[in-house]
Amino acid sequence: MGAEVSIADMVDALDAASNEMSGYVNRLTGEVRTVMHQELLFAEEEADPDMPKWQQDAVASAREVLQSKDWLELPSKLDIHEWDIMDRFGGSLPRQQQTEVREAIRGSGAFRNFKRTIRRLGIEDAWFTFKRQELGALARRWLEEHGLQPAEAAQPSVELAKARGR
């Protein structure tokens, strides 16, 4: 069996997935790393000595990911299907809240309406917990598919996740 990978680190990387950032796992060490897409583009070019030190470090990290077959890309934002997770969350609620949440995610502005609705209903903490559990399940399936072992550690608290803006 492959390296152990922190489920909490994977959940953080999956939660951060966006149009500008992707997550990667090193199949040998189990390290989880997030990389900005712009840094990946810079990594394909010749090093720019005029870049600030922090950016040179980030580009070097991205270059390492690109140049090694040891790094596996995690599911992208499109692979995660957050709308489906929101719908399943709605389905897990008592009938009145279920109706309101599921109506909020229909039509345009679904994500904005969902956030507004869960705030109004006072169920944001329940959403963050549900989403992290769903991402954890996705992480475990992905690890199994790639022959890696989940390292179960205490999940960061919902309050920590909220403080991070998730």
Side-chain angles (χ1 to χ4, degrees), residues 2-26:
E4 280 195 0
V5 181
S6 164
I7 293 295
D9 289 349
M10 280 196 62
V11 167
D12 288 342
L14 291 169
D15 198 22
S18 69
N19 294 333
E20 293 86 30
M21 184 181 305
S22 293
Y24 295 85
V25 170
N26 186 298

Side-chain angles (χ1 to χ4, degrees), residues 7-9 11-12 132 153-161 164 166:
I7 293 295
D9 289 349
V11 167
D12 288 342
R132 288 193 70 80
Q155 295 283 340
S157 72
V158 171
E159 292 303 315
L160 179 59
R164 291 180 178 162
R166 299 186 177 130

Side-chain angles (χ1 to χ4, degrees), residues 1-6 25-31 72 143-151:
M1 201 74 173
E4 280 195 0
V5 181
S6 164
V25 170
N26 186 298
R27 74 174 91 223
L28 300 180
T29 66
E31 177 187 352
L72 303 171
L143 289 171
E144 185 177 321
E145 289 171 10
H146 291 86
L148 300 170
Q149 297 180 33

